[in-house]
Amino acid sequence: MSQLLIKIHPADNVAVVVTAGGLPAGTEVATGLSLSEYIPQGHKVALCDIAKGDAVIRYNVVIGRAKETINAGAWVNENLLEMPAALGLENLPIATRAGEVGEPLSGFTFEGYRNADGSVGTRNILAISQTVQCVAGVVEFAVKRIREELLPKYPNVDGVVGLAHSYGCGVAIDAPNAPIPIRTLRNIALNPNFGGEVMIVSLGCEKMQPARLMPPETIPATLVDGPQVVCLQDEQHVGFMSMIESIMRQAETHLMRLNKRQRETCPASELVVGMQCGGSDAFSGITANPALGFAADLLVRAGATVMFSENTEVRDGIDQLTSRAATAEVAQGIINEMQWYDDYLAAGMVDRSANTTPGNKKGGLSNIVEKAMGSIVKSGSSPIVGVLSPGERLRDKKIPHGLVYNSTPASDFICGTLQLAAGMNLHIFTTGRGTPYGLAECPVIKVATRTDLARRWHDLMDVNAGRIADGEKTIEEMGWEVFQLMLDVASGKKTWAEQWKLHNSLVLFNPAPVT
């Protein structure tokens, strides 16, 4: 509309303030329209009078109804909106606009680590899995010594990580939903970035024994010797340091094999990219996520696999997802996941209104409907070719390359954990409010939605998508920039999160009851 406001769709009756610091009352933002009050950056301005009960429209979607009359030029915030009811899961459009992927892109490559099972890693990492939370302290101690004493001897290994978690014993291990955290941990151990090396530390008395974590039928044929297990309660261990020495000896056998691996040229089709947003604001759906959507389409055209997730953050656009499904079966899979999650939230006596966060609202997002519209756009426009339930692995489901919906909660680290289990080898994360999010298991590219955030967090944000709102870049130009950066990072270029070694522990999605 002008340099002061951004309006997404011609039918919208609100627009978003672009100017850092917001705009004061009296600012003329369009011909015949001036602000009646101060409006912060990212927040909505009424472009016309909106009567009580009338629809407030953004993205050409009803994001709420006015609780009272809102005059043109006024600040439209969550206090003035009544959130619409969620769309039903019946009578949805099914595979009505799956469309075409577009012209294939050829010739795009990256330097990756090819694994024996055919998958490709973007990093060469030793991961130490754990059957139970009780061993986490021991593994942490051992990992510190491995980094200090062993890693310098193996320069081709990027790092070592203990896959700590809070599961394994005090749970109903045979409960109906118990397979979710168990298969999550199993499949993370098989992530392409770990080079096919599986090492497990067990206590010995826990419910989740190594054979339950990785039963014989789930062990890949490439693990000819099976997973290597160190059990702390074995009688051979006399004292704490003997446990540490056992872990280090076993780790060194894996490090020697990993160190022999070399990067080789791989087609872009070997990328498995997980997309996520956190600390979102109103610019997420204007700058960063649309740029990711364009990049997602480029990846799909190059034959890669792209995953998007976050159930509560796409639930209000379920009709957009089912219509883009490649087949009726895929559409039904999306519906099934949304129904399961609706039931899960109901069992916990919460609903979708629990999302958004205070930070989301401060950034201009009034409710989950508005947030969902900006979240979905990062999936681009390609057909959705497959659906994963929480903790499932792409290779096990035999889902073809393309755009995949990976069903996860919206919580950042639970989503990241489940995308790792699915087989993600590269992660990209957008934020408007800012978050130091990172993963030890996979490189994370951080994209700022606003120039102000990119400036203040200059050594945390890898990309400034705020240049779109500033008029310096188009969505398409930024999408190509992100696409090329993903290839560079997949080839070994360090992200800011990697340089600072920023990461949190993995967080399991555990709907099984605690005993």
Side-chain angles (χ1 to χ4, degrees):
M1 289 187 61
S2 69
Q3 294 181 340
L4 303 178
L5 303 180
I6 288 181
K7 177 180 176 180
I8 297 293
H9 190 276
D12 292 355
N13 57 9
V14 294
V16 169
V17 171
V18 176
T19 307
L23 295 173
T27 303
E28 185 175 336
V29 292
T31 303
L33 179 64
S34 61
L35 302 187
S36 59
E37 57 188 311
Y38 163 75
I39 301 179
Q41 183 189 36
H43 285 251
K44 295 177 288 297
V45 179
L47 301 177
C48 59
D49 293 338
I50 304 173
K52 180 180 179 179
D54 281 357
V56 174
I57 302 172
R58 187 176 176 223
Y59 299 103
N60 195 30
V61 169
V62 177
I63 63 169
R65 294 194 175 273
K67 291 182 179 179
E68 58 189 64
T69 297
I70 304 173
N71 295 322
W75 178 8
V76 181
N77 57 56
E78 70 272 12
N79 298 320
L80 299 177
L81 297 184
E82 181 179 348
M83 189 167 70
L87 288 172
L89 296 179
E90 307 82 21
N91 302 316
L92 291 166
I94 302 296
T96 55
R97 59 180 189 92
E100 299 294 330
V101 170
E103 289 295 321
L105 292 178
S106 60
F108 290 95
T109 62
F110 68 99
E111 300 300 306
Y113 295 96
R114 191 167 291 281
N115 300 316
D117 66 357
S119 66
V120 173
T122 61
R123 296 296 183 266
N124 190 27
I125 298 170
L126 171 62
I128 302 178
S129 297
Q130 303 165 37
T131 56
V132 66
Q133 71 268 31
C134 309
V135 305
V138 176
V139 173
E140 181 181 13
F141 189 97
V143 165
K144 184 174 185 295
R145 283 194 56 186
I146 292 167
R147 287 182 182 138
E148 294 172 353
E149 300 172 29
L150 297 183
L151 274 186
K153 297 162 53 179
Y154 302 103
N156 290 337
V157 181
D158 293 315
V160 56
V161 59
L163 302 178
H165 57 86
S166 57
Y167 192 74
C169 199
V171 294
I173 200 76
D174 294 314
N177 288 319
I180 292 176
I182 296 173
R183 72 189 179 209
T184 300
L185 291 170
R186 175 189 309 133
N187 289 335
I188 288 175
L190 302 175
N191 185 277
N193 286 347
F194 304 151
E197 300 288 330
V198 178
M199 178 178 170
I200 300 171
V201 176
S202 162
L203 181 59
C205 60
E206 63 271 23
K207 290 180 181 177
M208 190 167 69
Q209 292 287 302
R212 187 181 284 257
L213 174 62
M214 195 163 285
E217 66 273 13
T218 68
I219 298 173
T222 52
L223 283 177
V224 292
D225 298 325
Q228 305 300 301
V229 180
V230 175
C231 180
L232 301 187
Q233 290 178 348
D234 282 354
E235 292 184 2
Q236 71 186 58
H237 294 128
V238 180
F240 174 67
M241 290 313 300
S242 70
M243 301 176 189
I244 301 302
E245 295 298 334
S246 288
I247 294 171
M248 292 183 68
R249 281 194 301 272
Q250 188 60 252
E252 189 151 27
T253 64
H254 296 282
L255 289 171
M256 286 189 288
R257 289 196 290 263
L258 288 171
N259 195 58
K260 295 176 182 178
R261 290 152 51 79
Q262 300 289 330
R263 288 188 181 271
E264 60 182 86
T265 301
C266 302
S269 57
E270 299 293 356
L271 285 177
V272 181
V273 178
M275 293 188 164
Q276 193 188 162
C277 48
S280 302
D281 68 355
F283 284 93
S284 296
I286 295 173
T287 61
N289 287 349
L292 256 65
F294 188 85
D297 288 345
L298 296 177
L299 286 165
V300 171
R301 289 170 58 192
T305 299
V306 180
M307 295 184 291
F308 72 110
S309 301
E310 301 169 282
N311 290 350
T312 52
E313 297 190 8
V314 300
R315 173 65 176 80
D316 279 276
I318 179 66
D319 54 334
Q320 298 179 37
L321 304 188
T322 56
S323 64
R324 282 174 58 198
T327 66
E329 290 75 18
V330 170
Q332 188 58 52
I334 296 170
I335 293 168
N336 292 345
E337 291 302 325
M338 295 301 161
Q339 184 62 68
W340 188 93
Y341 205 70
D342 282 358
D343 295 342
Y344 170 73
L345 292 179
M349 294 182 288
V350 296
D351 62 26
R352 75 197 213 285
S353 66
N355 191 338
T356 55
T357 69
N360 295 153
K361 293 177 180 179
K362 190 173 181 179
L365 295 173
S366 294
N367 57 39
I368 189 56
V369 181
E370 182 178 13
K371 187 177 181 182
M373 296 306 110
S375 178
I376 287 174
V377 73
K378 68 178 176 288
S379 67
S381 60
S382 301
I384 303 170
V385 299
V387 180
L388 288 175
S389 295
E392 289 186 329
R393 195 166 73 127
L394 285 161
R395 293 178 72 85
D396 294 337
K397 297 285 286 187
K398 295 181 173 56
I399 293 174
H401 291 207
L403 182 66
V404 175
Y405 183 70
N406 184 2
S407 178
T408 78
S411 173
D412 294 346
F413 281 96
I414 300 179
C415 178
T417 298
L418 291 170
Q419 289 185 340
L420 284 170
M424 169 177 70
N425 58 19
L426 181 66
H427 200 38
I428 188 159
F429 186 101
T430 70
T431 183
R433 303 304 298 167
T435 170
Y437 175 94
L439 296 170
E441 300 79 10
C442 180
V444 179
I445 298 170
K446 301 286 282 300
V447 182
T449 71
R450 298 177 295 125
T451 294
D452 182 56
L453 174 64
R455 176 186 57 78
R456 290 187 296 109
W457 287 26
H458 58 90
D459 52 2
L460 285 170
M461 297 291 113
D462 301 291
V463 179
N464 175 20
R467 288 177 291 170
I468 295 171
D470 298 341
E472 298 176 8
K473 291 275 187 178
T474 65
I475 289 171
E476 294 78 9
E477 289 169 340
M478 184 61 64
W480 273 107
E481 183 177 315
V482 168
F483 175 70
Q484 185 58 60
L485 179 60
M486 286 191 280
L487 296 176
D488 292 343
V489 170
S491 299
K493 180 178 180 178
K494 298 290 187 184
T495 65
W496 278 115
E498 287 183 289
Q499 292 183 57
W500 295 120
K501 293 181 170 55
L502 286 177
H503 61 86
N504 287 41
S505 298
L506 302 178
V507 182
L508 293 180
F509 181 37
N510 177 23
V514 174
T515 57

